[in-house]
Amino acid sequence: VRIALGLKGLDYEHVTYDLRTDAHKVASYLAIAPHGLVPALETDEGIIIESAAILEWLEERFSAPPLLPDDAMGKAVVRSMAGIVACDIHPLNNLRVLKALRADLKAGQEAIEGWIDHWMKEGFGGLEALVARYGRGFAYGASPTLADCYLVPQVYAARRFGVDLEAFPAIRAAADRAGELGAVKAAHPDLQPDADRA
Ligand SMILES: N[C@@H](CCC(=O)N[C@@H](CS)C(=O)NCC(=O)O)C(=O)O
């Protein structure tokens, strides 16, 4: 969502919630986002939760620059790429799932790392084929789309977890190309107001 806001040149106030201290589970945040997950976007029209809904709203309200292709098939492909990350990879490796694996299923650190590695690679396998087919520098085509808004953070997470991305050259190239953009650089976790300072 930060990447899309930046690509569209939109100014926003950034309110952070530290997931490590369960700040997203307090009543004041649940009043904003009843599902207890970040992000949420507070707009003049109301509050929007769920990244896909936020991104589609931004696209509808602030059409320039467009983050979806013109044609219906192009839009479908970009949404397929986004869906692989949003539905097939990210939720399985989310904090609450990893916590449940540890607490309820008694998984140790090695098992958790194996789980993350498995589901990232499983999802990246399909995504790699799409990016290799449709990418022309970016994940889809020659300019950034919603697909890059999903791809960049997922590749960041993969690298943070030490997942070997050798088998996914198209994904790596697209994420690295997008990473050169000012809007993407500014959205990097290390540059956020709540980032741990070394
Ligand atoms: N489907 C939601 C997922 C949101 C989500 O899982 N956010 C993560 C941070 S990237 C979170 O809030 N995790 C907290 C937790 O797992 O307790 C979306 O796309 O917005």
Side-chain angles (χ1 to χ4, degrees), residues 19 24-25 37-39 50-51 90 94-96:
L19 304 181
H24 57 308
K25 302 292 182 201
L37 296 168
V38 299
E50 285 294 320
S51 304
H90 174 270
N94 204 1
L95 182 61
R96 62 182 178 177

Side-chain angles (χ1 to χ4, degrees), residues 31-47:
I32 296 169
H35 66 339
L37 296 168
V38 299
L41 185 70
E42 214 163 345
T43 78
D44 291 345
E45 297 172 32
I47 293 167

Side-chain angles (χ1 to χ4, degrees), residues 8 52 55-60 62-63 65-80 82 140 143-147 149-150:
K8 287 185 179 289
L55 293 170
E56 293 281 350
W57 181 86
L58 287 173
E59 186 66 5
E60 209 163 309
F62 305 94
S63 52
L67 297 178
L68 282 171
D70 282 343
D71 61 306
M73 189 58 200
K75 285 187 177 74
V77 173
V78 166
R79 288 178 175 131
S80 303
Y140 178 96
S143 55
T145 65
L146 293 183
C149 298
Y150 284 89

Side-chain angles (χ1 to χ4, degrees), residues 36-138:
L37 296 168
V38 299
L41 185 70
E42 214 163 345
T43 78
D44 291 345
E45 297 172 32
I47 293 167
I48 312 171
I49 58 169
E50 285 294 320
S51 304
I54 295 170
L55 293 170
E56 293 281 350
W57 181 86
L58 287 173
E59 186 66 5
E60 209 163 309
R61 283 286 175 263
F62 305 94
S63 52
L67 297 178
L68 282 171
D70 282 343
D71 61 306
M73 189 58 200
K75 285 187 177 74
V77 173
V78 166
R79 288 178 175 131
S80 303
M81 292 178 176
I84 289 176
V85 173
C87 306
D88 305 338
I89 304 177
H90 174 270
L92 286 158
N93 298 324
N94 204 1
L95 182 61
R96 62 182 178 177
V97 170
L98 302 184
K99 275 186 177 170
L101 289 175
R102 273 193 195 96
D104 303 340
L105 301 180
K106 312 294 174 219
Q109 191 54 27
E110 203 178 316
I112 301 272
E113 283 168 15
W115 169 279
I116 292 170
D117 193 78
H118 173 82
W119 292 114
M120 288 228 194
K121 286 180 177 160
E122 180 86 13
F124 277 153
L127 192 53
E128 173 71 14
L130 290 184
V131 176
R133 179 164 174 198
Y134 294 103
R136 301 282 178 274
F138 290 91

